[in-house]
Amino acid sequence: MKIKVSQGRVNVAVHRQTTAPSWLLLHGFMGSHHDYDKVAKRLPGTVIVPDLLGHGETEARAGVGFDMTTQVAVLHELLHQNYSALLPLTIVGYSMGGRVAIAYAASYPADVLRLVVESGRPGLATEAERLARQAHDAQLADRLLTAGLPAFVLKWEQLPLFASQRHLSAVVQQAVRVGRLRQSPSNLARSLREMGTGQQPNYWPELPKITVPVTLLTGELDTKFTAIARMMLAQLPKATHNVIAGVGHNVHLEAPDRYVASLVREASYETD
């Protein structure tokens, strides 16, 4: 279904299954709510899975920014106008969605019962890093618009970050590819330019203020984000870091059984 927010300027496409407790699942770049199809149905309780700005079936009118501040505000309005009875809830974010999850927890801590960050980060700590990443993402956006989405997706699949996904079945790889090819190239380019890692605020200083339980999930083969998670662990007051053996960046895709077990196990600690 689609829900109007921001004075009717954004139609957020949302999938929801209903019982208690409650979860908000946030997908990564070039993803959609379908990325969590195998996960959502196995989680206990109510699961809310929106398509983020620039992705899936969510529609934004002209003039709506795709920046992090706007994305967090849209989610806040979505939750408080339609799901206020479910708050606070567990927010789970993967990669880009992990950045959004951290930003939301920093902005609206009262809405968050628990935070789960899968292969995510709180931004870049220095201005030099941010400027370099902005230039990189701008080049990616230009390449996407000039070479076309199919060529961009093919190049994206070949990134070392996703090397472990080549061992997945052909059926799974094709499903992921089809999902990416359904995206809007212009919206993806805007997402890169406006909500890329270099454009978002630096939330590293906010980590010590996030006092809810936090679970950091990374794949053993994703050495980059495993190292980032270790740095985050040192800054968060109440966090654990689960490294899932034998998988890479996208844990929920490569190891859905262990991913769901980790989420449910960590959530159960809160109610013991």
Side-chain angles (χ1 to χ4, degrees):
M1 64 178 171
K2 291 188 179 179
I3 297 175
K4 291 184 181 294
V5 297
S6 293
Q7 293 77 48
R9 296 192 305 151
V10 179
N11 292 335
V12 181
V14 185
H15 169 77
R16 177 187 174 188
Q17 62 185 46
T18 306
T19 49
S22 50
W23 310 73
L24 176 69
L25 308 185
L26 306 175
H27 62 78
F29 179 67
M30 279 202 289
S32 73
H33 69 273
H34 288 299
D35 291 14
Y36 287 111
D37 283 350
K38 291 185 178 180
V39 171
K41 63 185 179 183
R42 298 171 60 185
L43 290 174
T46 298
V47 183
I48 304 165
V49 198
D51 290 344
L52 298 177
L53 288 172
H55 292 76
E57 299 175 17
T58 287
E59 302 166 347
R61 293 187 182 180
V64 175
F66 285 5
D67 57 281
M68 184 64 77
T69 300
T70 300
Q71 176 62 85
V72 169
V74 166
L75 286 175
H76 181 261
E77 189 174 346
L78 173 75
L79 292 175
H80 280 261
Q81 286 189 0
N82 302 278
Y83 307 112
S84 59
L86 303 177
L87 298 173
L89 44 62
T90 296
I91 300 183
V92 182
Y94 159 67
S95 198
M96 179 188 77
R99 294 191 283 112
V100 176
I102 293 168
Y104 196 98
S107 303
Y108 301 107
D111 290 353
V112 186
L113 178 67
R114 174 179 290 275
L115 183 64
V116 180
V117 179
E118 174 196 355
S119 307
R121 68 195 307 175
L124 298 171
T126 70
E127 182 68 12
E129 289 176 303
R130 290 192 290 275
L131 290 174
R133 184 56 184 262
Q134 288 171 24
H136 171 78
D137 286 346
Q139 289 178 346
L140 283 181
D142 288 343
R143 186 183 309 157
L144 169 59
L145 294 176
T146 56
L149 184 58
F152 184 85
V153 167
L154 180 62
K155 191 75 172 178
W156 190 263
E157 291 172 344
Q158 295 171 349
L159 290 175
L161 191 65
F162 305 119
S164 56
Q165 295 180 24
R166 296 167 200 159
H167 301 292
L168 297 171
S169 71
V171 172
V172 172
Q173 291 188 59
Q174 180 62 16
V176 172
R177 183 176 299 118
V178 168
R180 289 169 174 165
L181 290 172
R182 286 176 178 162
Q183 304 287 348
S184 161
S186 60
N187 283 344
L188 291 179
R190 281 192 60 195
S191 179
L192 283 168
R193 292 181 186 279
E194 298 179 36
M195 205 175 73
T197 306
Q199 287 287 358
Q200 75 164 69
N202 170 26
Y203 289 103
W204 281 100
E206 303 303 314
L207 295 186
K209 304 173 189 176
I210 299 177
T211 57
V212 298
V214 179
T215 300
L216 305 173
L217 277 174
T218 57
E220 175 191 22
L221 304 179
D222 183 2
T223 55
K224 175 181 177 178
F225 278 86
T226 295
I228 291 171
R230 291 194 183 108
M231 291 188 287
M232 293 172 61
L233 185 66
Q235 300 294 319
L236 290 159
K238 194 175 182 181
T240 58
H241 179 198
N242 296 341
V243 181
I244 309 301
V247 300
H249 190 64
N250 192 330
V251 179
H252 68 271
L253 175 69
E254 299 179 51
D257 292 343
R258 285 179 286 165
Y259 180 83
V260 170
S262 179
L263 262 58
V264 172
R265 181 176 64 250
E266 294 291 336
S268 70
Y269 294 160
E270 188 66 19
T271 57
D272 285 347

